[in-house]
Amino acid sequence: MSRSKKKTKIHGNTTATSEKENKRDANRKFRRVVKQKVKLDETKLPELREVSNVWSFDKDGKRYNSEMTEKDLRK
């Protein structure tokens, strides 16, 4: 991977490296709600976006930065 590097100068807005934990928690919450509704024989099931709020995740989008150095572009 020594020659591997990013092609575009885009990075996340915060210092969080990943949203993996947030996505995992949101899906667990979604599955729990769906299981409860299925057990009660409800026909209308919620969507994932109704159960979780993506705006509360750690990363807050991405931004283009034209001043990134070669070191910043390395993976």
Side-chain angles (χ1 to χ4, degrees):
M1 297 291 291
S2 63
R3 294 176 186 232
S4 173
K5 68 175 193 171
K6 292 182 181 182
K7 307 293 189 270
T8 57
K9 298 180 178 186
I10 295 177
H11 61 87
N13 286 336
T14 63
T15 57
T17 56
S18 175
E19 291 182 324
K20 187 173 185 174
E21 282 294 322
N22 299 127
K23 291 178 182 180
R24 186 178 294 154
D25 292 339
N27 282 313
R28 284 179 180 169
K29 185 177 180 182
F30 174 69
R31 287 192 303 271
R32 185 174 62 243
V33 169
V34 168
K35 283 181 183 181
Q36 290 171 350
K37 292 201 180 262
V38 167
K39 198 175 241 185
L40 296 173
D41 288 332
E42 292 187 25
T43 57
K44 186 172 183 323
L45 299 177
E47 295 290 326
L48 178 61
R49 300 291 183 202
E50 295 174 14
V51 176
S52 66
N53 183 11
V54 296
W55 293 99
S56 65
F57 285 5
D58 290 340
K59 281 171 71 175
D60 193 26
K62 295 181 179 182
R63 178 185 306 185
Y64 181 81
N65 184 0
S66 61
E67 298 174 357
M68 288 180 79
T69 62
E70 286 294 320
K71 184 178 180 183
D72 296 330
L73 292 174
R74 283 189 224 136
K75 291 184 179 178

